[in-house]
Structures are given as structure tokens and as C-alpha cells.
Amino acid sequence: MYGRTTRNCKYMKLSFKFLSSVVLSCLTIESAARTVGGKPKRWIQPYKRAPLQDIVTWDEDSLFVRGERIFWYSGEFHPFRLPVVSLYLDVFQKIKAMGYNGVSFYVHWALLEGKPGEFSADGVFALEPFFDAASKAGIYLLARPGPYINAEASGGGFPGWLQRVNGTLRTADPAYLNATALYVESIGKIVSKAQITNGGPVILLQPENEYSGAMPNVKFPDPVYFGYVEEQYRKAGIVVPFINNDARTAGYFTPGSESAVDIYGHDGYPLGFDCAHPYTWPNGALPTGWRATHLKQSPSTPYAIVEFQGGSFDPWGGLGFDQCSVLLSNEFERVFYKNDYSFGVTIFNLYMTYGGTNWGNLGHPGGYTSYDYGAVISEERLITREKYSEQKLEANFFKVSPAYLTADRGNASNTSWTTSTDLTVTPAFSNSTKLYFLRHAAYNSLDSTRYKLHVQTAIFGNLTVPQLNGTLTLNGRDSKIHISDYDIGGVNIVYSTAEVFTWKKYSSKIVLIVYGGPNKQHEIAIQASSATVVEGSGATIVQKEGYSIINWNSNPERKIIKVDSNVYIYLLDRNSAYNYWAVDLTPYSSASSVIVKAGYLLRSAKVKGSTLALTGDLNATTLIEVIGGAPKSLSKLTFNGVSLPFKAGDYIVYTATADFEEPKFTLPDLSALNWKYLDSLPEIQSPYSDTAWASANLKTTYNTLRPLTTPTSLYGSDYGYNTGTLLFRGHFTATGAETSLFLWTQGGSAFGTSAWLNSDFIGSWDGIDAATNSNTTFTFPNLTPGKSYVFTIVIDNMGLDENWVVGSETMKNPRGILNYTLSGRPQSAITWKLTGNLGGESYADHSRGPLNEGGMYAERQGYHLPSAPTKSWKDSTGPTAGISTAGIGFFTTSFDLDMPKGYDIPLSFVFTNSSTSAAGNSSLATAYRVQLFVNGWQFGKYVHNVGPQTKFPVPEGIFDYHGSNYVAVTLWALEKEGAKVEGLKLAVDAVTGFGEVETVEGQKWVKRKGAY
């Protein structure tokens, strides 16, 4: 993700640079490439080895895979944000169903090497199931393993122990390079085995990430460093092309430069991240010069946009991802994506396509648990946003429009192609097909503009259309792709003002589906001798010399036009077109496909003999209409394995009904369950001993960013505590003169701090979204001279900062106590101890990884894990009963689920937030913080007084839908009066269908050795 600044936040995606004195020597070795429709002009540099491969090649227009020219149309999907491997296929199939053929993915280094020198990629962190699911779905992958990824991930993907590296991150500093060695070698080998050359789905790899900005004191860009990163991956066995993602069109490492990548690419987030103003499209935000810049910077490679905006992140205190999905809506897709197509992009990745969840503290401090991103697929894996359907229409067009890939792009003009100067058209002409990308000249216009279109045709000359009735209309915030001389299986579409969804030539007929906006006039002309309306009404047909013209108004009534003897044109309005699917019969080929009207989701189609087997999801009883692709003599039609009675209709179309039976199930009422309660802050009670805690005795910090302003380091990462809640205990003997404690603490955006003197609460920093650190003075009554006292300080670590700007070292911003003053006493009067998660980097729970648990007492004991010894704990009515004073309570319960099989029923925990305070001040929300653990997995961090998230989806697989579930809630009250969770319930998000989901097996509770 590109560096950005958030509203009321001081976060930039910052980065560091690496350099190495390694000089790469490359042998120039020719390799033959299989090509169709053109010859690649560049090959991958062999990097001291035999010719790398000839399966993935490219020329200036596009990629070739096994000799076939492709438009790599991709969506971003991070496996680490969905820790249920049996759901990978679900997401891949939903992406594939849109017409995509690619997915880009990051790898989160911090999850795989939580302790330096110990790499582990097993269980939910294994990538092999991700690769297998991609292959099954027919998805080509772009691997982006970093080591720096940004991605709104804690540390930008960097493990916390890098805070102790005595060197500048993302540079050739040997200390940094040595730190990356094990990770890059290990992840490189894993990805290498999944390359297409080894039968896997990986066709591209991106070394580094958005290496595009640096501090003035750092050499930048550094080709020696960048080349070192490339060589690391080549040594690990990577042979597929390297691609980069410049954060802007800076032209770094383009072909021909030192340490060049094979294919140059860049990112783009033109509307930014202002979800608070979802209807604001600022003047000048639409890119217009990217094509020209590409031709100057990298004319020998395909035009690649490696990250283009698919949604937006949302900060603590934001307005939620539903707002973001409005800002980056289907209208945004139509205007901005079609603008990108006008530039000739053929490597196109949308960030995000499925966002997922920042479970287990894996996110950066600028965002909350949800990483929904307002993407086309929601966090719950639902596809109910209209932007999903819009993307299906757009991507499917390019699957059946190969002329786009090699078309010559003309200049945008508001005078040459329409009758209105308020409109701009960018033409793209191949040897035959002509495309016209139409938008408003003022891209953010809300006007509905009438126009006629000037098209060129090879046989019939220049035409102004529509020729029959009326004019065309472009609504505000809309864009269209008009066509002329468009071939469909040997039949010439002279022109069409309606947009093409898909077409297919079958043995007995040709099917073409076009669509238009609601109630818009359209016209299509086809080179044919006759045309007849066989379904619907309202279409006007006029025969001209050599071609037939059909003119109609697009509305919910479908119209079918039979042209000559075997061409069927379906005229739809856009909303109706959303229900049509074009599904390939084999994973990586569009040569054979079915066209089906099928409602919510069609996942796959297979033909075996005279049987057509469809799989998909239903959310209502649905008419299934097989328009094309059924076997010649269809004898059996199945949907999700169930045989459906069907009727053979006209035009070789088959119809059936797939019944949706509303599932019956009961969810537990959380307020009625038996809960158990445990005090999770025993540290403030007098009998508590911290002898097992780490002594804060480092007189010099390992952190090179911030020198100490305390006698010893109080930075968590100096002692191996990189995630979750931090606790400090400061011991001193009073003189009686002490009246206050000043603390400067830092935990990241929206963090909180609470302090106790012995067992007495002395105050909190409640946290706000804009503050990453706080200066707070806590006062207390007179102390007894000569008596021993202890401060207990609790700090919420919200994740480590990203590291986008090379040399800024922001990832090293420490978490903990930056400074303190005990009034009337020197700093040395206090002796400190600290703790975080049990074991720190030698973390206890390897099944859930190094970030899932923090330093609260219940977490250190492992009581958030299933089978915890709760029997002797106090009975409670749950977190809604709350705690009566400032502190940390721990609540647990268990319940069984018996959900019906064959359905996808996403569940969420929902918190009530009425924004009232315990002190009666209606203008402020009570300050409390909650962690939600489900079967040991931390799937929610709720900050009641900051927000915005109140709904926390938890996927099947984390939930056991057919067995017992253990739920634990930590409640940290930051106010003297304590806090109660206002309400907590389990809710259903939707009901559709999917296959069997395996429950993820994580470690269960056992008494932890050395727990304190």
C-alpha cells in the first residue's frame, strides 16, 4: 500500500532502504519464448544461471503465459488476514467469478520469524494451501514477500526485533541485510516451489515494496541495495519475472537502468482515503498523463499498475468501512478503472479485493481489527456490494476482447468523437477492433450529458450514432466503453453503444450479451442480412445495406435479438446483467465456458458427457438459465450436486429452478449464558510478586531511532516484548515529598495507559485517535517516608509503526515509557520491571503465532485458550456485568453451535455503543477496552471511547460450527468508576452456501511453565 496521511492521524506508510555492496553480474543468454499474436522482446535476466524459463514472457503490450497473450487482471488478497485455510478457495472462486485471472498477495514477515533465527511457516501460516487453492480456482499469483510490505501491517511486516538492529532499515546496511537473510531465503524457497515452472500458480514476484521515498540523508534510490534484494530471491530459486510497484510514477529501476526489474509498475490511489466525505471527488484527482509517462519510462514493458485503489483503509475514530465502500463505489470503478484501461493497462491489480481481518494484533496502529477496506468482497466474504457486480461486468469484457491488448492508444479528445465538448473520448484501435473510452471532460461532473458518437468502421466508413432514435446519455460519474468493428466468432459488430459483458461462439450458435445503464437509449449494428426480436418488446430494427441496426431503451425487460440463423444478442440493463455469469470449464483457459443466469454466485461449471454440473451460492430460490455451453444433448443438470429438473427452451437454452431452503438454527443468547470471571490485574494487589518479570536494566537502548531519556530502557522491544499489552512496575522507597508521577508513554494511535500506586488507581490516558503518545501527570496523596511503594503501569501497544520513508526509521518508534518524573526525586529512585506476552519472542503459542497474545495476566497464563481451568473462578453474568473500578477483568464462557451444513452463515460479535460515560457526562463515552478471543484466537480489539468498530466478524473455522466454542473477553476499565460492556450479542450477517469448512486446530490450554 502507498504511503498516506490519515485524518487526525500522523501515520505515513514509511519505509527504509537497504543497500549492499554486492555487484551482480549477469550472463546474456538467449531463451526462446512461445508466443501467440506477437513476439516478446525482452526476457528475464539469467542472474548467473542457465536460461531461467520461457513460460512467462512479455513484450511492450502484455504478458504471455505459455505463449498466450493475457491481460493479468488481479485482486489483492492476503492469506495471513484469513487464518482459515479451507476458506481460501471460497475467496479465490469469488475473485475468479468476476472474470479475474490473478491475485497479488503479501507475506507478513513478523508472523513467520517472531524470534530472530527461527523461521516457521506451518499451520495457518503455511502458504502451500494458498497456492493449491489458487491453482484449483485457476488464478495466477503475484508474490510480494517483502521483506518490507507496508500493507497496514504491524511494522509494515517487519518483526519487532528489528527495533534492535543497529543499522538503517531498507538499506544496504550489513546489519539490516543480515537480519533479512533467513526470512528471504526461507520464503523465497517456499515461493520458488510454487512457481509456474514447477507446476504452481506463481508467475511474478515483487522484490521490496514501494521503494519510492527517502530522507535526505540516505542514498536513494540505491541500485546496489535493490539489486541485492533481487539477488536474494534469485538465489532462493525465483525464475519468474520481477516486477516493482513504484508508489508513484517515479521511474525507479525501469528496464535499462542499474538493478532494473523485468517489468516496471507503479501504484495509484487517486481519491485518497477520506471516507468521511464519501461523495467528494476533488478536481484534478483523475490521472490523465500516465500513458505518456509510461512510454517515456518503460516503453519496452507492458503497462502495469501493481496497486490501484480498490477501497480505503480507515483509522481509529473513523466512520467505518461502509463509508469507504461508498467513496470507492461502483461509480468510482466505472470512471477510474475505465480511465486506466484507456491508458492500455494490461497488468492491473486492485488493492484490496478481499481485505479480511487484522486478527491477533497483526495490524498497524493506524487501523482497527477489521481490514474490510470497503473492497468488492466484504470482510465476511459477502459479495453484496454493487461494486462486485460492476467489476464482473468490466473484467469479463477483457476476457473476450483480445484486440484490447495490442491496440494503439490515441489521444484523449473532447472534440473528435462526440457531439458534446463536455465529454472526452480516448480511442484505442487495433488492426480491426476499435474501442472508445468515454467519460466526462470534468470527470467528477454530476451532469447527465446527451451526445451522439462518431465511430469509424472498416466497411461502412465513418458513422454518427445512434442512427435511428434519439441520442445517447452519459450520467454523472459514469463512463462507457463503446466499440466498432468488434469480432464475435467471425461475425462483425459494426458498432455498439451498449457495453459488452461477454460473448461466446458455440458449435450451434453465437451468444452476445450487452448492457446499458437504466433507461438509456442504445444502438447496436451487426453485419448481417436479418435481425428479429424473439423475446421482449420495444426494440426497433432497421435493415441497411450490409448490416442490421437495433435500437432500444435499456430497462428491466430483457430483449433477445436473433441475427441471421445462429447469433443471439441479449439486450440487458446493467442491473439485470449483474445476474449473469461467464464461467470457464477449465481453470486456466477461457476457450470453453458456459454463460448462465444464476443469481447470487456461480462458482464453477463442468461438463462430463451429457451432464452439466454447476456449483454456486444461493440466497433465494433462483431461476437457473443455461444460455450457452451445455452439452449438445443435455441429460442431467446439477447444482451443488443436486440434480435439477430442467426444460429445454428455444435458442438451445435450458432452464431450471434451484430451491433455497432457509436454514434453521439457533444462536446462543450471550447474556443468558453462564460466564466465569477472573481478575486479570492481580499485579496491583499487595501479595503479588514480580520477581519473574524482566528487569529493566539496560542502560543503553538497542534502538537507534530514539536515545534514552531514562536511566534504563523502558522500551518493550529492547526486552523482546513486541506485541499486545505491556505492563511496567516501578519500585521506590518514599521520602514523603512525592506528590505526582509524570509519564510520557507511547503505544500508537488510540492507545491507552492506566496507572496505579500500590492498589490505588491514580489515573489513565483514555486515548484518542490522533495521539500516538501522551504526557500525563498523575497525582496522589502524601506518602509515608521510608515505606516501599510500587507503580503499576499498563500500556496498550496498538502495533508497530510502518516504515515507508527510507531512513525515517519509524518502525523503530518504541512502545513503552519514554520518560518519567517522580516529583522531588531523581529518576534513579525508581527501579523498573516489565513484561509483555509470556516468553516475549520465545512465545508460547506457536499455532497462533508471535502476535496473538499480549501481557495481561490472563493472557500470560494462557487462559484465553480452550480448556482453561475456569471451574473454580467466580460465576458472572458476563462482561455486561462489568467491573466496579478501574482495572482489568477477564470473562469466559462456552457454548455449542450446531449450524446446518451446506450453508455459509457468517457470524459476528456486536457490541452496543450508546456513547455515555459512567460519570454521567453524556458527551463522552466510557473509556474501556476489550479484547475478544474465540477459541484462543484474538479476533477483536474494541475501544469503546474511540471506535468506530462495533461489529467483529469471526469466520467459520475459527468458530467450530458443529461443536463447542470457548469465548474469552478482557475488559480494561480506564475510569475510576469501572465499566460495563453495554451490550454484546452474536449476530448473523447473511445466509448463502459454500462447501465444508475445517475447524482450525490451535493449541489448547496447558499449565504454562514459568507463567507469572
Side-chain angles (χ1 to χ4, degrees):
M1 276 301 305
Y2 178 46
R4 50 213 176 220
T5 302
T6 70
R7 181 185 63 82
N8 290 331
C9 297
K10 298 178 181 177
Y11 315 114
M12 273 183 79
K13 297 190 126 190
L14 304 174
S15 64
F16 294 53
K17 74 177 193 177
F18 295 158
L19 291 177
S20 169
S21 57
V22 175
V23 178
L24 304 179
S25 62
C26 303
L27 301 175
T28 304
I29 303 175
E30 294 183 0
S31 66
R34 307 185 191 105
T35 66
V36 171
K39 182 178 180 180
K41 297 179 180 178
R42 296 186 62 85
W43 291 269
I44 307 163
Q45 296 179 358
Y47 291 83
K48 299 183 180 180
R49 54 186 295 150
L52 295 181
Q53 52 86 27
D54 64 356
I55 297 176
V56 184
T57 55
W58 68 94
D59 64 9
E60 70 273 20
D61 292 319
S62 75
L63 288 173
F64 294 78
V65 177
R66 295 191 174 91
E68 179 184 1
R69 192 182 286 280
I70 69 166
F71 184 158
W72 189 70
Y73 205 118
S74 167
E76 190 82 13
F77 165 28
H78 303 154
F80 61 83
R81 285 185 160 116
L82 180 62
V84 183
V85 298
S86 55
L87 287 175
Y88 291 162
L89 183 61
D90 173 52
V91 177
F92 278 127
Q93 287 180 334
K94 286 169 179 172
I95 293 172
K96 181 73 171 181
M98 283 190 289
Y100 293 27
N101 59 2
V103 158
S104 164
F105 70 97
Y106 279 135
V107 182
H108 198 316
W109 177 11
L111 296 172
L112 305 184
E113 195 181 356
K115 183 177 182 179
E118 295 184 7
F119 178 91
S120 176
D122 300 320
V124 299
F125 306 110
L127 287 172
E128 290 81 3
F130 188 76
F131 299 145
D132 292 343
S135 294
K136 186 172 182 179
I139 292 289
Y140 293 122
L141 296 177
L142 161 59
R144 305 205 293 164
Y148 183 72
I149 61 171
N150 218 60
E152 285 81 55
S154 180
F158 281 165
W161 52 264
L162 282 187
Q163 289 200 352
R164 302 194 300 274
V165 169
N166 186 18
T168 304
L169 308 180
R170 300 181 73 189
T171 74
D173 192 306
Y176 170 73
L177 295 177
N178 290 337
T180 69
L182 175 61
Y183 170 73
V184 176
E185 178 184 10
S186 302
I187 199 65
K189 288 180 178 178
I190 291 171
V191 174
S192 173
K193 293 176 183 177
Q195 293 175 108
I196 194 170
T197 52
N198 294 320
V202 175
I203 65 167
L204 296 166
L205 184 132
Q206 177 188 295
E208 246 286 349
N209 182 73
E210 290 178 337
Y211 180 72
S212 303
M215 300 297 287
N217 61 330
V218 176
K219 182 181 178 182
F220 181 86
D222 187 345
V224 179
Y225 159 64
F226 200 81
Y228 182 92
V229 179
E230 293 175 312
E231 178 69 357
Q232 282 182 298
Y233 283 110
R234 291 298 185 210
K235 284 182 176 179
I238 300 300
V239 298
V240 294
F242 282 155
I243 192 169
N244 69 333
N245 70 324
D246 226 344
R248 60 187 187 282
T249 55
Y252 296 139
F253 305 109
T254 55
S257 63
E258 186 178 354
S259 299
V261 291
D262 298 305
I263 300 171
Y264 174 78
H266 69 86
D267 296 352
Y269 292 84
L271 272 194
F273 310 95
D274 188 9
C275 300
H277 300 92
Y279 301 102
T280 300
W281 288 15
N283 292 333
L286 186 77
T288 56
W290 282 358
R291 174 71 181 174
T293 301
H294 166 70
L295 293 176
K296 291 178 182 177
Q297 293 176 338
S298 190
S300 63
T301 64
Y303 183 40
I305 306 178
V306 182
E307 287 184 27
F308 195 76
Q309 189 158 24
S312 173
F313 78 98
D314 192 50
W316 288 104
L319 295 177
F321 284 112
D322 285 344
Q323 290 263 120
C324 297
S325 69
V326 175
L327 175 68
L328 292 316
S329 65
N330 49 297
E331 290 181 337
F332 169 82
E333 292 171 332
R334 285 199 286 270
V335 173
F336 282 83
Y337 297 177
K338 291 177 184 179
N339 186 61
D340 292 338
Y341 309 146
S342 76
F343 301 144
V345 63
T346 58
I347 296 176
F348 191 48
N349 178 52
L350 296 166
Y351 191 106
M352 296 292 297
T353 292
Y354 171 71
T357 305
N358 287 324
W359 65 276
N361 301 306
L362 67 81
H364 78 142
Y368 40 91
T369 303
S370 176
Y371 198 65
D372 178 281
Y373 216 77
V376 293
I377 303 173
S378 72
E379 182 180 6
E380 303 89 337
R381 296 173 292 103
L382 301 176
I383 56 172
T384 51
R385 290 171 177 158
E386 187 176 350
K387 58 190 297 183
Y388 178 93
S389 298
E390 172 61 32
Q391 276 305 95
K392 181 176 64 169
L393 297 184
E394 293 185 25
N396 270 281
F397 168 70
F398 294 105
K399 285 179 63 176
V400 296
S401 304
Y404 165 84
L405 297 173
T406 56
D408 293 326
R409 269 71 195 177
N411 295 323
S413 172
N414 66 343
T415 59
S416 301
W417 302 103
T418 74
T419 56
S420 173
T421 57
D422 292 332
L423 303 177
T424 292
V425 173
T426 303
F429 291 0
S430 69
N431 290 335
S432 55
T433 301
K434 301 168 182 66
L435 308 176
Y436 310 84
F437 297 93
L438 174 87
R439 62 172 173 84
H440 278 97
Y443 87 100
N444 52 1
S445 172
L446 298 175
D447 295 338
S448 291
T449 303
R450 294 184 176 276
Y451 68 101
K452 289 197 172 189
L453 178 71
H454 307 309
V455 299
Q456 295 181 5
T457 70
I459 299 175
F460 305 104
N462 297 337
L463 302 173
T464 297
V465 300
Q467 298 187 73
L468 302 184
N469 301 323
T471 59
L472 307 175
T473 303
L474 183 69
N475 284 350
R477 298 191 176 182
D478 198 358
S479 179
K480 298 178 184 178
I481 305 174
H482 298 309
I483 60 171
S484 64
D485 287 341
Y486 185 87
D487 180 78
I488 57 167
V491 175
N492 181 36
I493 302 299
V494 180
Y495 62 82
S496 176
T497 67
E499 296 187 80
V500 172
F501 166 52
T502 192
W503 66 269
K504 198 68 186 175
K505 182 177 183 179
Y506 299 105
S507 60
S508 57
K509 65 178 179 179
I510 296 173
V511 174
L512 168 66
I513 298 180
V514 298
Y515 66 94
N519 299 309
K520 295 295 181 292
Q521 202 72 23
H522 279 290
E523 193 169 274
I524 187 171
I526 183 168
Q527 194 169 345
S529 58
S530 66
T532 306
V533 178
V534 294
E535 181 179 307
S537 62
T540 301
I541 299 176
V542 173
Q543 191 68 33
K544 287 211 170 184
E545 186 175 348
Y547 63 96
S548 299
I549 303 174
I550 303 106
N551 185 288
W552 77 99
N553 182 275
S554 59
N555 55 51
E557 183 190 31
R558 181 174 76 177
K559 301 162 183 61
I560 302 176
I561 311 299
K562 183 178 181 181
V563 178
D564 289 343
S565 62
N566 69 334
V567 178
Y568 294 88
I569 304 177
Y570 286 66
L571 310 179
L572 309 176
D573 73 332
R574 185 164 52 223
N575 291 336
S576 299
Y578 289 161
N579 292 318
Y580 288 69
W581 303 86
V583 180
D584 298 333
L585 295 177
T586 53
Y588 287 105
S589 173
S590 297
S592 299
S593 61
V594 296
I595 299 174
V596 182
K597 181 182 178 185
Y600 182 76
L601 173 65
L602 193 62
R603 295 178 180 272
S604 69
K606 291 185 179 180
V607 171
K608 185 175 182 180
S610 60
T611 297
L612 174 61
L614 304 176
T615 67
D617 292 12
L618 303 174
N619 58 4
T621 296
T622 301
L623 174 70
I624 305 293
E625 184 179 19
V626 182
I627 294 168
K632 286 185 178 180
S633 300
L634 182 67
S635 64
K636 188 176 183 180
L637 174 63
T638 67
F639 190 87
N640 293 342
V642 176
S643 183
L644 302 180
F646 65 89
K647 295 180 180 179
D650 297 332
Y651 345 122
I652 321 175
V653 170
Y654 301 91
T655 58
T657 298
D659 291 323
F660 177 75
E661 183 177 347
E662 196 75 34
K664 294 179 175 61
F665 57 89
T666 301
L667 295 181
D669 179 353
L670 300 183
S671 66
L673 296 176
N674 294 320
W675 291 77
K676 291 289 187 175
Y677 170 77
L678 181 74
D679 178 12
S680 193
L681 194 64
E683 293 88 351
I684 64 174
Q685 304 303 323
S686 56
Y688 185 83
S689 172
D690 58 22
T691 55
W693 289 33
S695 295
N697 55 14
L698 290 175
K699 295 182 179 180
T700 302
T701 178
Y702 295 106
N703 191 306
T704 60
L705 178 64
R706 188 183 187 280
L708 294 182
T709 48
T710 55
T712 60
S713 173
L714 298 175
Y715 300 164
S717 289
D718 269 342
Y719 303 91
Y721 300 122
N722 304 316
T723 184
T725 308
L726 295 169
L727 287 89
F728 296 81
R729 282 170 61 85
H731 297 262
F732 68 100
T733 301
T735 65
E738 305 90 348
T739 59
S740 65
L741 174 70
F742 164 80
L743 282 181
W744 183 7
T745 56
Q746 182 163 268
S749 175
F751 87 108
T753 299
S754 291
W756 287 261
L757 177 60
N758 291 348
S759 60
D760 295 324
F761 176 65
I762 57 175
S764 292
W765 164 254
D766 296 344
I768 60 174
D769 59 317
T772 63
N773 61 84
S774 72
N775 297 301
T776 310
T777 298
F778 304 102
T779 60
F780 39 82
N782 292 337
L783 305 184
T784 302
K787 182 177 179 180
S788 295
Y789 289 87
V790 59
F791 291 113
T792 300
I793 313 298
V794 182
I795 300 174
D796 203 356
N797 177 1
M798 309 299 282
L800 303 181
D801 293 330
E802 295 173 299
N803 209 82
W804 195 86
V805 175
V806 177
S808 66
E809 300 291 85
T810 48
M811 178 267 167
K812 293 183 179 179
N813 282 327
R815 299 294 183 251
I817 298 175
L818 304 183
N819 207 350
Y820 64 90
T821 301
L822 179 60
S823 61
R825 302 294 300 279
Q827 286 184 315
S828 58
I830 303 179
T831 302
W832 292 93
K833 305 197 86 172
L834 78 157
T835 190
N837 63 300
L838 183 68
E841 289 162 9
S842 298
Y843 53 99
D845 183 358
H846 282 257
S847 64
R848 297 174 183 86
L851 303 182
N852 185 64
E853 59 189 64
M856 290 183 181
Y857 173 78
E859 294 177 280
R860 301 196 308 267
Q861 303 297 321
Y863 292 156
H864 59 291
L865 301 178
S867 302
T870 64
K871 187 174 181 180
S872 63
W873 298 359
K874 292 181 180 178
D875 291 328
S876 171
T877 56
T880 54
I883 55 179
S884 59
T885 187
I888 302 173
F890 186 70
F891 301 84
T892 72
T893 192
S894 296
F895 54 81
D896 291 339
L897 289 175
D898 185 18
M899 308 298 281
K901 294 185 178 182
Y903 293 89
D904 187 5
I905 309 173
L907 301 179
S908 294
F909 287 91
V910 181
F911 289 85
T912 301
N913 190 335
S914 60
S915 296
T916 59
S917 73
N921 184 344
S922 61
S923 65
L924 297 174
T926 307
Y928 66 83
R929 294 163 181 263
V930 170
Q931 290 184 108
L932 173 68
F933 293 91
V934 181
N935 293 321
W937 306 84
Q938 195 254 63
F939 252 79
K941 193 163 187 173
Y942 172 55
V943 183
H944 180 258
N945 56 301
V946 178
Q949 187 174 5
T950 58
K951 175 184 171 186
F952 295 84
V954 179
E956 182 179 2
I958 297 300
F959 271 127
D960 184 345
Y961 273 28
H962 310 288
S964 180
N965 294 272
Y966 177 74
V967 173
V969 172
T970 65
L971 172 59
W972 172 3
L974 289 89
E975 296 184 11
K976 179 181 178 180
E977 297 81 7
K980 299 178 181 180
V981 171
E982 294 179 48
L984 179 61
K985 65 179 181 179
L986 196 59
V988 176
D989 296 313
V991 178
T992 58
F994 182 60
E996 186 174 350
V997 177
E998 297 178 8
T999 300
V1000 180
E1001 294 296 331
Q1003 287 178 290
K1004 295 183 178 180
W1005 182 85
V1006 294
K1007 186 175 178 59
R1008 289 182 167 181
K1009 184 178 180 180
Y1012 46 82

